[in-house]
Amino acid sequence: MPTGFLTPVGGLADALWVSDQRLAELPPVDVIQELRGLVASQPFVGLPEQLLSRGFVAHHIARISLSLDRHPQITAAIVAMTASPWAGDEWIAVFSRLADRLESVLKEENELGLKHCPLEVRIAKALRFIEAHFDDPDLTLGLVADRAGLSCSYLAHTLKRRTGQGFVAHLRCHRVGAARRLLEETVLSVKEVAAATGYQTPRQLERDFKRLNGVVPTSIRRPIASD
């Protein structure tokens, strides 16, 4: 932005210049969140401040829009937001609607890109997600499939074919394996181990542990050495 234009509102201009450098390095979704914060917190009291701030916001919104396949759909809204005579809450409402629209388009673009990934990539993503989140008691086949861009039926079939186990059995192996390591290597109680490995109650851990190991969890607990 030209220095002469920034001079009348130097303090705000300096802050926006710093923000401009930082936003250029952020992914689009994060940029929108930063702009939401700026619009919500900036006191647009004078016309110079309003024009400068609107230009800054419009610049970054346009940059995001140009990176999307359907950016012409958003161009008119950007022009309206920049040139509108609205002030204060009215302008913030216009920006918020545009930001909502951009976030929706970004989400659709991301989902579309994920669906175009090779199946092997998505399957590997699903397996990594299970391995990283098996300790979440709310982990479900549907959640994993959604994160990997796969249907539940396809993921269930693929897991069975690749591992010889369905989703529930595969998840059980991760949880029981982690529980066994904690029981052997730490002094955590069975209740604490259950909570740390995705079980809602110790009884659930005991049931699965005995199914896979033939013994109850406490039977493999190493005795703590006494002084």
Side-chain angles (χ1 to χ4, degrees):
M1 296 180 185
T3 305
F5 177 68
L6 300 180
T7 304
V9 283
L12 176 59
D14 290 343
L16 293 183
W17 185 86
V18 172
S19 296
D20 187 66
Q21 308 306 304
R22 187 165 58 85
L23 293 186
E25 300 175 358
L26 294 178
V29 172
D30 292 342
V31 171
I32 294 173
Q33 289 304 311
E34 291 282 338
L35 294 178
R36 285 187 186 276
L38 171 66
V39 170
S41 63
Q42 182 64 47
F44 301 134
V45 291
L47 182 59
E49 288 88 348
Q50 290 184 29
L51 293 175
L52 181 58
S53 299
R54 290 184 187 190
F56 176 83
V57 171
H59 163 70
H60 284 283
I61 290 290
R63 184 170 60 84
I64 295 171
S65 177
L66 288 170
S67 70
L68 301 172
D69 290 338
R70 288 167 287 170
H71 68 82
Q73 301 176 12
I74 306 172
T75 301
I78 296 175
V79 173
M81 181 188 71
T82 308
S84 73
W86 302 313
D89 293 342
E90 292 177 295
W91 186 82
I92 292 174
V94 172
F95 163 78
S96 295
R97 288 194 294 272
L98 178 56
D100 289 342
R101 173 61 179 152
L102 264 182
E103 286 178 331
S104 176
V105 172
L106 286 167
K107 181 179 179 181
E108 291 172 11
E109 293 281 330
N110 180 63
E111 291 173 350
L112 184 63
L114 185 58
K115 288 178 182 177
H116 286 171
C117 285
L119 279 175
E120 288 298 323
V121 174
R122 285 184 271 161
I123 293 167
K125 181 180 178 70
L127 292 172
R128 289 195 302 270
F129 191 81
I130 294 171
E131 185 175 356
H133 297 87
F134 70 84
D135 56 348
D136 179 358
D138 297 321
L139 188 65
T140 64
L141 175 65
L143 177 60
V144 178
D146 182 65
R147 291 301 182 92
L150 299 166
S151 69
C152 290
S153 59
Y154 184 85
L155 177 57
H157 174 76
T158 302
L159 276 175
K160 186 74 173 179
R161 180 163 50 85
R162 297 258 179 128
T163 68
Q165 302 172 317
F167 172 75
V168 173
H170 184 70
L171 180 59
R172 181 188 300 125
C173 283
H174 274 291
R175 287 175 170 172
V176 171
R180 181 169 190 128
R181 289 191 294 274
L182 288 174
L183 289 166
E184 291 177 340
E185 299 170 6
T186 74
V187 294
L188 294 176
S189 67
V190 172
K191 182 178 181 180
E192 290 171 326
V193 169
T197 52
Y199 288 101
Q200 295 182 332
T201 67
R203 183 177 295 276
Q204 292 176 334
L205 169 59
E206 292 170 358
R207 179 198 61 205
D208 285 355
F209 197 93
K210 188 170 184 179
R211 177 182 294 179
L212 295 185
N213 294 290
V215 294
V216 296
T218 52
S219 67
I220 60 103
R221 169 74 79 186
R222 291 181 178 177
I224 302 174
S226 55
D227 294 334

